[in-house]
Amino acid sequence: MRRKTLMAVLAVLVLAATTAGVLYWRWLNSPRYALQQMVLALRTKNMPEFYKYLDLKAIMGSIVEGSGQEAAAPDDPKEDEWTKLSRRMGRRLARSLIPKLVENFDPQIKRVLEQYLLTLDNSKILALAAAVTVAQIDTRGGEAQVTLRDPKTGEPLRLRMSRQPETDRWVVVGITYEDFKKFVKRELK
């Protein structure tokens, strides 16, 4: 009888340890963990670690694309075929030039971003940590849609994250243009 009890207890312990290990592994490989690591890097002012979780080229591309969609008027049915064709060619040309422009301005973009992030005080970093903790995250395969909410105003900041196959790390690859525009307007007041 004592041996059966010991085996049952041992089986429960192994099952509990395995479950805890799997849950810990899932958390380490989650978008929320990546966001928490970004906040930790901000708190310690470790910008190289912070940039491990950002794809600046992809983010800037999504911002430029969002601004282009805002500015792009839909094709007018009254336009002639040459005008429609030239608009489509212009859009394609802009899409092909955006990565090169972002690549050329990468050091300047990083410098401006660092200047802003390094001036964040502890209360803002704690608010960001709280927002990450309660963020709404919808993960589908290697993509995730993240909605952070400003604790004061409740305004959303929607991000797109992607799991990078080389590092198996979740990285922010996009930001909703409308949310970015509101954020910049509020922070530059």
Side-chain angles (χ1 to χ4, degrees):
M1 181 73 169
R2 190 160 167 34
R3 185 172 185 172
K4 286 183 182 180
T5 305
L6 183 60
M7 292 303 282
V9 169
L10 188 59
V12 168
L13 286 175
V14 168
L15 182 63
T18 302
T19 303
V22 167
L23 291 174
Y24 182 70
W25 180 84
R26 284 190 64 189
W27 176 70
L28 283 177
N29 293 296
S30 70
R32 189 175 314 276
Y33 177 79
L35 292 168
Q36 289 172 338
Q37 292 303 302
M38 291 174 73
V39 172
L40 180 62
L42 284 178
R43 218 170 154 200
T44 59
K45 309 284 190 218
N46 185 348
M47 297 314 288
E49 182 68 18
F50 179 79
Y51 285 124
K52 287 181 182 178
Y53 297 95
L54 284 181
D55 184 345
L56 277 178
K57 292 176 187 169
I59 293 170
M60 292 308 297
S62 76
I63 291 170
V64 172
E65 186 176 315
S67 67
Q69 288 175 355
E70 180 183 70
D75 288 339
D76 187 358
K78 297 176 186 173
E79 290 178 339
D80 60 49
E81 288 302 314
W82 282 108
T83 305
K84 289 179 184 178
L85 178 65
S86 63
R87 278 185 193 253
R88 281 189 224 121
M89 287 176 56
R91 287 181 194 142
R92 286 186 184 154
L93 178 64
R95 282 190 202 116
S96 66
L97 288 177
I98 288 169
K100 295 293 182 193
L101 288 172
V102 171
E103 188 175 311
N104 289 334
F105 287 108
D106 191 50
Q108 291 86 352
I109 293 168
K110 277 186 175 180
R111 188 171 45 247
V112 169
L113 183 60
E114 281 182 28
Q115 286 173 350
Y116 170 74
L117 293 173
L118 291 174
T119 63
L120 292 177
D121 61 7
N122 199 36
S123 64
K124 286 186 179 182
I125 292 174
L126 289 175
L128 185 58
V132 165
T133 301
V134 297
Q136 177 186 349
I137 302 175
D138 180 25
T139 306
R140 294 192 182 160
E143 297 289 320
Q145 298 294 327
V146 178
T147 303
L148 300 170
R149 297 226 174 252
D150 186 325
K152 292 181 184 175
T153 64
E155 287 185 11
L157 180 64
R158 291 172 291 235
L159 307 172
R160 194 173 74 251
M161 295 182 78
S162 178
R163 182 188 296 260
Q164 301 301 307
E166 315 84 50
T167 61
D168 206 32
R169 178 184 299 135
W170 285 92
V171 176
V172 177
V173 294
I175 183 169
T176 304
Y177 175 69
E178 293 81 22
D179 298 343
F180 177 73
K181 191 167 66 170
K182 288 177 189 174
F183 175 79
V184 169
K185 187 183 243 184
R186 183 178 64 237
E187 291 298 316
L188 294 180
K189 273 187 178 178

